[in-house]
């Protein structure tokens, strides 16, 4: 059974870069047909897909966040990382990492989720 765990700072200052890591157990991030996503939920709003990194190492980002987003991976640690630059208070949200079995932009297509981590952007 796959398990995902997010880690990273809970408070980030405006204009800085948000950095979160997802540690995966129970499955390899390089195993075929696995797509590893970052998804967030701002307070009072719905889920927003941020981007994914595929088992091949290729990636795809939400066009609305693309200019500020980078997702990378460390296969030796079975981890993948989100970096979101130039953050503002509008980036305050619960951030989730998740696994899907196809390259989807729809959060509902992801079957395995971490518990989520609160990130607040404030000075």
């Amino acid at each position: 059974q796959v398990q995902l765990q997010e880690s990273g700072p809970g408070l980030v200052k405006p204009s800085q870069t948000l950095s979160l890591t997802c540690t995966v157990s129970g499955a390899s991030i390089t195993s075929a047909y696995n797509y590893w996503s970052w998804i967030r939920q701002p307070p009072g709003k719905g889920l927003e897909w941020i981007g994914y990194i595929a088992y091949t190492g290729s990636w795809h980002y939400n066009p609305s966040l693309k200019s500020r987003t980078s997702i990378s991976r460390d296969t030796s640690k079975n981890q993948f990382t989100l970096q979101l630059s130039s953050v503002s208070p509008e980036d305050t949200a619960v951030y989730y990492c998740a696994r899907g079995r196809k390259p989807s932009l729809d959060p509902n297509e992801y079957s395995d989720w971490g518990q989520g981590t609160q990130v607040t952007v404030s000075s």
Side-chain angles (χ1 to χ4, degrees):
Q1 181 178 356
V2 64
Q3 293 185 319
L4 302 94
Q5 178 66 58
E6 305 90 351
S7 60
L11 180 64
V12 183
K13 288 182 167 51
S15 81
Q16 292 188 341
T17 296
L18 178 162
S19 184
L20 296 173
T21 296
C22 183
T23 301
V24 179
S25 59
S28 171
I29 62 172
T30 61
S31 292
Y33 308 112
N34 283 302
Y35 298 85
W36 306 95
S37 268
W38 287 99
I39 297 163
R40 69 182 183 179
Q41 185 166 29
K45 297 184 179 181
L47 294 169
E48 179 180 31
W49 176 78
I50 300 170
Y52 69 70
I53 185 163
Y55 64 100
T56 57
S58 64
W59 40 258
H60 188 61
Y61 302 146
N62 186 325
S64 69
L65 298 169
K66 183 178 181 179
S67 64
R68 301 194 290 128
T69 304
S70 176
I71 299 176
S72 59
R73 66 181 185 176
D74 185 335
T75 57
S76 67
K77 296 180 180 179
N78 214 38
Q79 295 175 333
F80 62 104
T81 298
L82 168 69
Q83 290 192 308
L84 185 67
S85 63
S86 304
V87 297
S88 71
E90 286 67 39
D91 293 307
T92 294
V94 178
Y95 284 76
Y96 299 92
C97 57
R99 179 186 75 159
R101 305 311 300 271
K102 59 181 180 179
S104 178
L105 282 61
D106 181 357
N108 295 310
E109 296 282 351
Y110 288 82
S111 56
D112 301 291
W113 293 66
Q115 65 182 19
T117 187
Q118 173 70 46
V119 178
T120 300
V121 180
S122 175
S123 55

